């Protein structure tokens, strides 16, 4: 029987892995359809119908077609509210508002500098693209300031939005994984006591371990 | 005293995003001016009480405190679903599509538009400095590509999320407003569906009320 949920994209993509982590947390079965980006498959007309910006992931579930990893995650949490981790996107409006707040902080403040560093330090070398030392330094500074704020927050609460692991924490997994395990900038996280504790806890979750395995196997 | 408070500045795009939402929902509220010219938003009181990132807006509804404009607007739209304009869909499929275009605004459009607004509007206005030509030249074509995708989308759909005006459209208003006063306007004017959409959403009374706060300074 064909699985209705389809995710298009390589598991090594940070945005794809964000969606995969969410699907594993919610125990939702899915089919991962590989997109060969080095061959430009994501810029071809058939793919652009699914994702007009020519980026991964794209997502299908029964009759609905979506893109933007954070929108996909919110959809999964809403559609499959009763499956897997039921509290992932909050079980009441106040919890949800706090999760949305930190999900936006991730998307607006954490993601820009961290994804630039991931590209410069983890992907550029593989793609034979020259690293830009100025860009690296500027973004390391930006990310450090954000992590100082996180350090304070995670001294007040176990997870970003409160006492429970949520979509807000999950959203940070992909970029942080690369920085901690694949570059020399891991100390940005591990040298901060609360951030380090938080990283250990969220990255040890079974759902994230499954994603990392997929990335290694790809 | 209103339970709802919006802390910020009427010049700030992120504050305007929340104010437009509050006006669309016709909610009683108090607007608390944050004097950014003296760095009020970077001071310890503001950081510990309202927003640890030292940014505006910040929001209160009774005991609830929030920051990040797009989280605030989502909260307002859900919590006050039965008041004023419907800004989200109750139907989960329609809401999922709207959510996609809300992310497009936050991740694709705003990242570029905010850079252009900073160079072409805020730097001259607030700092008396001229735009960095290289940054403008780099980002104008990027915005053009994003707007091509918007043009296709708006050829199929009256609003970004579907038939109805929603947060997906509203979120664009503040930066659009600023860019319209610059050389970037031509990028919008040359795309007929984008242009019609902008004319429609910028004429909304709630948006005009939010903008009017700028002249009350």
């Amino acid at each position: 029987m064909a699985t209705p949920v389809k995710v298009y994209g390589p598991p090594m993509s940070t945005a794809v892995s964000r969606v995969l982590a969410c699907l594993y947390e919610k125990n939702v079965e899915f089919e991962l359809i590989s997109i060969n980006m080095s061959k430009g498959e994501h810029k071809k007309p058939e793919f652009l119908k699914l994702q007009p910006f020519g980026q991964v992931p794209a997502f299908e579930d029964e009759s609905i077609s979506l893109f933007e990893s954070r929108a996909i995650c919110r959809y999964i949490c809403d559609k499959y509210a009763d499956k897997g981790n039921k509290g992932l996107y909050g079980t009441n409006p106040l919890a949800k508002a706090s999760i949305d707040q930190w999900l936006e902080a991730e998307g607006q403040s954490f993601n820009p500098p961290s994804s630039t560093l991931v590209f410069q330090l983890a992907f550029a070398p593989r793609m034979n693209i020259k690293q830009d030392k100025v860009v690296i330094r500027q973004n390391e500074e930006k990310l450090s300031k954000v992590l100082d704020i996180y350090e304070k927050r995670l001294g007040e609460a176990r997870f970003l939005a409160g006492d429970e692991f949520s979509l807000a924490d999950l959203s940070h997994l992909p970029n942080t994984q690369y920085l901690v395990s694949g570059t020399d900038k891991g100390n940005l996280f591990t040298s901060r006591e609360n951030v380090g504790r938080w990283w250990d806890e969220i990255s040890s979750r079974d759902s994230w371990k499954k994603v990392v395995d997929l990335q290694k196997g790809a | 005293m209103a339970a709802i408070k919006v802390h910020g500045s009427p010049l700030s795009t992120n504050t305007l995003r929340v104010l437009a939402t509050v006006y669309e929902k016709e909610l009683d509220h108090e607007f608390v001016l944050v004097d950014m010219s003296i760095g009020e938003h970077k001071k310890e009181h503001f950081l510990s009480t309202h927003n640890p990132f030292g940014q505006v807006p910040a929001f209160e509804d009774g005991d609830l405190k929030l920051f990040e404009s797009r989280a605030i607007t989502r909260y307002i739209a859900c919590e006050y679903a039965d008041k004023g304009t419907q800004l989200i869909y109750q139907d989960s499929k329609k809401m999922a599509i709207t959510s996609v275009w809300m992310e497009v605004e936050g991740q694709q459009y705003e990242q570029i538009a905010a850079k252009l607004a900073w160079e072409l509007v805020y730097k001259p206005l607030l700092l008396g400095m001229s735009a960095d030509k290289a940054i403008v030249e780099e980002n104008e074509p990027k915005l053009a590509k994003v707007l091509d995708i918007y043009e296709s989308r708006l050829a199929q759909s009256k609003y970004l999320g579907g038939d109805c005006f929603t947060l997906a459209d509203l979120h664009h208003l503040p930066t659009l407003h600023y860019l319209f006063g610059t050389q970037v306007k031509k990028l919008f004017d040359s795309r007929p569906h984008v242009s019609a959409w902008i004319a429609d959403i910028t004429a909304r009374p709630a948006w005009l009320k939010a903008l009017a706060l700028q002249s009350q300074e």
Side-chain angles (χ1 to χ4, degrees):
Chain A
M1 187 177 90
T3 317
V5 172
K6 294 185 167 70
V7 181
Y8 295 82
M12 51 168 261
S13 145
T14 50
V16 171
S17 69
R18 183 174 290 115
V19 172
L20 300 180
C22 186
L23 288 164
Y24 281 129
E25 276 287 326
K26 298 298 286 174
N27 284 347
V28 173
E29 281 185 24
F30 62 91
E31 188 188 342
L32 181 61
I33 295 160
S34 197
I35 296 289
N36 192 329
M37 293 174 81
S38 61
K39 291 197 175 147
E41 225 179 300
H42 55 311
K43 304 292 182 188
K44 298 212 165 112
E46 317 88 73
F47 187 78
L48 292 175
K49 279 183 205 154
L50 291 176
Q51 217 293 13
F53 291 86
Q55 294 172 346
V56 290
F59 176 92
E60 282 174 322
D61 183 10
E62 297 169 350
S63 55
I64 197 172
S65 181
L66 302 173
F67 56 94
E68 286 296 333
S69 63
R70 295 168 192 82
I72 296 167
C73 287
R74 285 184 168 106
Y75 164 81
I76 292 165
C77 288
D78 181 50
K79 172 100 189 278
Y80 300 102
D82 295 333
K83 295 200 79 182
N85 183 340
K86 294 187 181 147
L88 192 61
Y89 196 15
T91 49
N92 64 71
L94 296 186
K96 203 175 197 186
S98 181
I99 295 168
D100 272 330
Q101 174 182 273
W102 288 99
L103 199 40
E104 287 300 321
E106 182 273 320
Q108 295 295 323
S109 297
F110 177 86
N111 188 57
S114 61
S115 65
T116 302
L117 286 173
V118 169
F119 177 78
Q120 287 286 329
L121 298 168
F123 286 109
R126 296 183 206 182
M127 294 159 72
N128 279 328
I129 293 173
K130 189 160 184 266
Q131 292 175 325
D132 186 329
K133 294 226 162 14
V134 173
V135 164
I136 292 171
R137 185 179 45 79
Q138 284 173 346
N139 283 278
E140 194 178 333
E141 276 169 26
K142 279 186 192 167
L143 184 57
S144 292
K145 285 186 181 149
V146 171
L147 291 177
D148 284 340
I149 296 167
Y150 280 29
E151 181 65 9
K152 190 146 187 268
R153 170 58 184 166
L154 293 164
E156 297 159 359
R158 188 171 164 202
F159 297 101
L160 286 171
D163 299 326
E164 306 286 332
F165 175 80
S166 76
L167 201 52
D169 308 288
L170 184 153
S171 208
H172 292 77
L173 287 162
N175 292 2
T176 311
Q177 178 71 31
Y178 272 110
L179 291 176
V180 171
S181 309
T183 75
D184 62 355
K185 302 297 178 190
N187 62 303
L188 288 170
F189 297 86
T190 55
S191 67
R192 290 173 166 83
E193 193 182 329
N194 299 322
V195 170
R197 187 252 319 143
W198 167 76
W199 169 248
D200 280 342
E201 203 170 345
I202 67 174
S203 57
S204 308
R205 292 181 77 85
D206 283 342
S207 55
W208 186 244
K209 286 182 178 170
K210 283 181 188 158
V211 176
V212 173
D213 282 345
L214 266 187
Q215 290 184 332
K216 285 182 181 155
Chain B
M1 197 169 80
I4 291 177
K5 291 184 188 165
V6 180
H7 300 257
S9 159
L11 296 179
S12 141
T13 52
N14 298 313
T15 306
L16 286 168
R17 187 172 292 119
V18 171
L19 289 170
T21 306
V22 166
Y23 282 123
E24 285 284 351
K25 302 303 278 174
E26 296 164 24
L27 299 174
D28 283 341
H29 66 281
E30 191 188 333
F31 177 55
V32 182
L33 189 64
V34 176
D35 193 347
M36 296 173 82
S37 69
I38 58 163
E40 193 184 331
H41 53 312
K42 305 290 183 190
K43 298 206 165 121
E44 190 49 44
H45 173 76
F46 189 87
L47 295 174
S48 50
T49 316
H50 296 299
N51 187 337
F53 289 86
Q55 294 171 333
V56 293
F59 176 84
E60 294 180 72
D61 187 359
D63 290 333
L64 173 73
K65 284 186 150 89
L66 288 176
F67 55 87
E68 285 299 332
S69 64
R70 295 170 186 84
I72 297 166
T73 60
R74 262 182 199 272
Y75 164 78
I76 293 169
C78 292
E79 186 67 13
Y80 298 99
D82 56 345
K83 297 199 84 178
T85 314
Q86 273 298 303
L87 290 175
I88 51 169
Y89 286 103
Q90 296 306 320
D91 174 273
S92 61
K93 253 181 91 169
K94 289 184 180 174
M95 188 56 215
I97 307 280
T98 301
S99 197
V100 165
W101 289 93
M102 285 167 72
E103 285 299 316
V104 168
E105 182 274 330
Q107 292 297 320
Q108 310 285 353
Y109 167 83
E110 179 71 4
Q111 304 289 329
I112 305 166
K115 283 187 182 132
L116 287 167
W118 175 255
E119 292 300 324
L120 295 167
V121 180
Y122 283 112
K123 264 170 86 170
L125 185 73
L126 297 177
L127 305 175
M129 290 167 63
S130 47
D132 182 328
K133 286 210 171 87
I135 296 180
V136 174
E137 275 168 19
E138 189 192 333
N139 283 282
E140 266 198 37
K142 282 183 184 174
L143 184 60
K145 280 194 181 145
V146 169
L147 291 177
D148 284 340
I149 295 165
Y150 276 49
E151 183 65 14
S152 298
R153 172 63 183 165
L154 292 164
Q156 304 162 5
S157 179
K158 185 169 184 206
Y159 295 100
L160 287 173
D163 301 327
C164 301
F165 175 82
T166 63
L167 288 181
D169 311 286
L170 183 155
H171 283 179
H172 291 79
L173 284 165
T175 321
L176 269 181
H177 168 74
Y178 280 116
L179 290 180
F180 244 59
T182 74
Q183 67 192 58
V184 174
K185 183 174 189 286
K186 61 182 188 296
L187 297 181
F188 303 110
D189 288 344
S190 58
R191 289 163 174 83
H193 293 97
V194 168
S195 195
W197 167 72
I198 293 175
D200 180 312
I201 65 175
T202 52
R204 294 182 69 88
W207 171 242
L208 297 172
K209 275 191 198 149
L211 266 189
L213 290 176
Q214 293 190 338
S215 1
Q216 285 171 28
E217 273 286 272

